[in-house]
Every structure is written in structure tokens, then in C-alpha cells.
Amino acid sequence: MTEQQPVFPNLGASPYLSLTTFRRSGEPVATPVWFAREGDRLVLLTRAGAGKLKRIAHTPRVLVAPCDVRGRVTGETAEGRARLLPPEQAEAARKAILKKYGLLGWLFVTLERMRRSSQTVYFEIRPLKDE
């Protein structure tokens, strides 16, 4: 991948990402999420125990597409592989999301941190390589 071509160019400048994960049965589950580009990957946040994390744990293959706030896909879909980030990489992911979403991102991340019943975790999505 060259430096001029962003990771997952199908996403353009979309503020939201439709993340499709797969149940054990193979049934797809799409969720609109915030994301940021960081190098050759996308970074995302969610709460610990979220269904999407459970689905990624057993099937890391995901589909990503630009979407609106309600999850309606607005562009082409691409395939990727997701994985939970270790704690030492979470801060860089948090900063990338804060940079993209500004004050609204700061408010969301801060409120998530303050919730006692929830821990925020970060994960990455990398494009599948052509084989």
C-alpha cells in the first residue's frame, strides 16, 4: 500500500463506518461505529463485553463500508480482519479517535471512561491482503 492511498479508500471521508461482524451461524450483524485511520489500519472503540467483540473473538473477518449515523451504507464494502488491541496500544487509538471527532469525541470518550459499569476497549481492522 502506498502512502498516497489511504487504508480502506472505499471509506472516503465518512464520519461513520458500518462494521459487519459474523455470528457463529455465519449470520452478519452490521453496526454503525466511529473510527479513525491510523497508519495502515482503522481503529475503533467499544465497551468491553459488546456483542461485536464477542463475534470478532471467534470470527475476526469483518466487512466495512461508509455509512450514515443510522447505519445506512453509502458506499462500497471492503473486507478486513479485526483484533482487540493490547492496553499499550489503546492510547494511540484513543488519540486518533479524539483527533478525528474533536470535542464530540472527547465528550464521548470521557463519558465512557466515567461509567463504572463499562470499560472502553479498542480494536483495529486491517485490510485483507490479496493472496
Side-chain angles (χ1 to χ4, degrees), residues 68-88:
D68 64 17
V69 68
R70 295 182 185 261
R72 289 183 293 245
V73 173
T74 59
E76 292 183 37
T77 299
E79 198 168 3
R81 185 160 308 277
R83 81 171 177 100
L84 186 63
L85 290 174
E88 61 271 10

Side-chain angles (χ1 to χ4, degrees), residues 8-11 62-66 76-80 127:
F8 293 107
N10 64 309
L11 299 177
V62 297
L63 301 176
V64 297
E76 292 183 37
T77 299
E79 198 168 3

